[in-house]
Amino acid sequence: MAVTGGVLVLYIVISMGAGVGLKGMERLLAGPNKLLLGHVQEVYLTGFSYTSKRHHVPAGEWVAEKAMELIPLGTYVKEKEGADTDIEDMATYEMILKRQANDENAVDENGKLIGEAKEEPSVQTAAGSIDLSIEKLKNYEYLVGNFYTIDSTTMTSPEELDAEALLARDLRIDKETKGPKVLIYHTHSQEAFADSVPGDTSTTIVGVGTYLTELLNARGIETIHHEGVYDLIDGELDRSKAYDLAEPEVRKILEENPGIEVLIDLHRDGVAEGTHLVTEINGKPTAQIMFFNGLSRTKANGDIDYLYNPYIQDNLAFSLQMQLKAAELYPGFTRHIYLRGYCYNMNIMPKTLLIEAGAQTNTVEEMRNAMEVLADTLDKVLTP
């Protein structure tokens, strides 16, 4: 019998702890939770509670969602057989993708933040305040403490964040061949700013991406800007499938332009109201940016096979080299690199950046100023 291990363990542990059998379990899980027991018995404990009807997808999804809240997903048995467990796998897969899509803070139709803002890391504010020598960077604790924020749901290691190895990777693009080298797109195209004009995409993250494209082209780094919309479904804001919807379109563009070496997913972050991510660079108010890496791994799930990324080390090398170059040239411009689980389409190509530029509290002017600094930093890393 193929059984989801986590749910079975949950059932057994609660039963033993309460000193009761199935009837006692029913008394323990009274009210709304009794529905959970029923679904568990029907879907996963068929040997204890036989039913002639095949469970339908919504029930499987509901049980998977509840189980996810109570136990680590990593405890479920991966080697399963039978059509019913295929439904459970699909529910789990869709749940992971949904959580990935919701990891970044979203705003509702009134521009109000949904969920809690990410904890704001400290930022470098003065030139020379951080030692960028390789001797220091080789120290894992020093590296993480000064340049990374690791989300509580994931983890990394000195082997993965080996500064010497990451900095040794050659990220230079081949400017001798013709054709575009950089593709900029937006998984979340509807992100706007404090003074954005409703209906005017030039004042949204898309317009900011257009400006960055112009700046890179002016520097001789041929760049194309994809303005596809993936976070609107039937005219309503819906980010639950944005990464899934964006991936095939992005891959199609890359197939049509095989010379592209760099992929940038440009976002705007969400922060608590009253937080203003701004610094002054070259006498201009400039939005701060943050590089975001997905490790396709969480503490609860371990490595997520569904979201396998063969380019994690390349992704990490790119963000670290950008972070250190910005720290050298423009102290205070970047926040700590944020490491979190899941993939965020960073498995598409090695030189991929997910950039959180500013937030909903920044102005369009601050964002445009930030793109000028970002373009220069990209130029220094890609064409030294």
Side-chain angles (χ1 to χ4, degrees):
M1 178 177 66
V3 178
T4 296
V7 175
L8 180 57
V9 169
L10 175 67
Y11 183 93
I12 294 173
V13 168
I14 294 179
S15 295
M16 292 178 64
V20 296
L22 184 59
K23 293 298 183 181
M25 186 70 168
E26 291 176 347
R27 290 194 298 272
L28 184 63
L29 293 178
N33 286 333
K34 190 169 184 179
L35 181 59
L36 171 60
L37 176 61
H39 284 312
V40 170
Q41 290 177 237
E42 178 182 332
V43 180
Y44 300 104
L45 301 179
T46 54
F48 295 95
S49 177
Y50 173 79
T51 175
S52 61
K53 65 178 180 180
R54 181 188 181 90
H55 74 273
H56 51 81
V57 174
E61 291 178 348
W62 189 90
V63 172
E65 185 73 42
K66 288 299 180 184
M68 186 72 167
E69 296 173 2
L70 296 171
I71 56 174
L73 180 62
T75 59
Y76 89 113
V77 180
K78 293 184 178 180
E79 301 296 327
K80 297 187 284 292
E81 299 175 353
D84 285 355
T85 56
D86 287 342
I87 293 176
E88 183 224 359
D89 283 346
M90 181 57 66
T92 302
Y93 177 58
E94 291 177 351
M95 189 192 318
I96 287 177
L97 293 182
K98 182 177 179 181
R99 289 190 172 206
Q100 170 181 260
N102 291 332
D103 266 340
E104 294 173 71
N105 293 302
V107 292
D108 62 19
E109 63 275 11
N110 299 314
K112 299 298 183 182
L113 224 61
I114 300 172
E116 298 179 355
K118 293 189 283 286
E119 180 181 353
E120 284 303 305
S122 60
V123 295
Q124 182 181 355
T125 57
S129 61
I130 294 183
D131 189 341
L132 302 178
S133 67
I134 189 62
E135 289 74 20
K136 280 287 190 180
L137 297 175
K138 286 164 62 176
N139 182 292
Y140 177 73
E141 287 73 22
Y142 179 85
L143 181 71
V144 170
N146 286 283
F147 298 102
Y148 289 94
T149 295
I150 303 174
D151 189 80
S152 60
T153 63
T154 193
M155 68 287 191
T156 185
S157 67
E159 291 72 30
E160 188 167 60
L161 294 184
D162 181 339
E164 191 169 25
L166 296 177
L167 296 178
R169 296 198 176 218
D170 187 357
L171 300 180
R172 291 175 296 177
I173 60 175
D174 181 6
K175 295 183 69 175
E176 299 302 317
T177 58
K178 294 183 179 180
K181 303 300 175 188
V182 178
L183 171 62
I184 298 172
Y185 76 108
H186 313 274
T187 302
H188 298 161
S189 65
Q190 303 305 299
E191 293 171 330
F193 305 99
D195 56 350
S196 293
V197 179
D200 183 358
T201 58
S202 70
T203 64
T204 67
I205 192 63
V206 175
V208 172
T210 298
Y211 188 47
L212 177 59
T213 301
E214 294 171 355
L215 292 168
L216 290 174
N217 279 316
R219 289 173 174 270
I221 302 175
E222 191 171 345
T223 302
I224 57 178
H225 184 208
H226 175 53
E227 299 183 13
V229 175
Y230 304 107
D231 52 351
L232 284 180
I233 297 180
D234 296 327
E236 299 293 328
L237 184 65
D238 185 346
R239 293 177 176 158
S240 63
K241 297 182 179 179
Y243 285 97
D244 260 7
L245 294 174
E247 182 178 0
E249 294 301 316
V250 169
R251 289 190 182 276
K252 180 180 178 182
I253 296 173
L254 294 176
E255 289 175 4
E256 295 170 349
N257 300 273
I260 291 178
E261 299 181 44
V262 176
L263 182 63
I264 298 175
D265 187 3
L266 186 62
H267 292 246
R268 176 229 70 191
D269 206 357
V271 296
E273 295 298 335
T275 298
H276 194 192
L277 302 174
V278 67
T279 187
E280 184 175 305
I281 297 177
N282 298 328
K284 299 178 181 180
T286 304
Q288 294 169 312
I289 71 168
M290 179 176 73
F291 301 113
F292 190 111
N293 281 93
L295 301 181
S296 296
R297 175 195 314 119
T298 66
K299 289 180 180 177
N301 307 332
D303 292 334
I304 304 175
D305 294 337
Y306 298 135
L307 305 175
Y308 175 67
N309 180 2
Y311 305 126
I312 288 178
Q313 289 302 111
D314 300 283
N315 301 159
L316 289 170
F318 199 1
S319 61
L320 181 59
Q321 291 190 30
M322 287 290 293
Q323 182 82 2
L324 296 182
K325 183 57 67 174
E328 174 191 340
L329 301 174
Y330 304 107
F333 176 53
T334 56
R335 299 152 63 194
H336 287 188
I337 300 168
Y338 203 91
L339 303 182
R340 198 161 192 173
Y342 311 122
C343 182
Y344 311 100
N345 285 346
M346 300 189 78
N347 61 334
I348 294 178
M349 69 186 330
K351 290 181 227 175
T352 297
L353 287 177
L354 194 161
I355 303 174
E356 299 273 11
Q360 83 281 7
T361 55
N362 286 100
T363 65
V364 175
E365 177 190 7
E366 292 165 352
M367 295 299 301
R368 288 174 65 87
N369 292 340
M371 293 305 99
E372 295 172 3
V373 178
L374 177 59
D376 188 55
T377 307
L378 282 164
D379 191 10
K380 295 295 192 300
V381 171
L382 297 175
T383 63

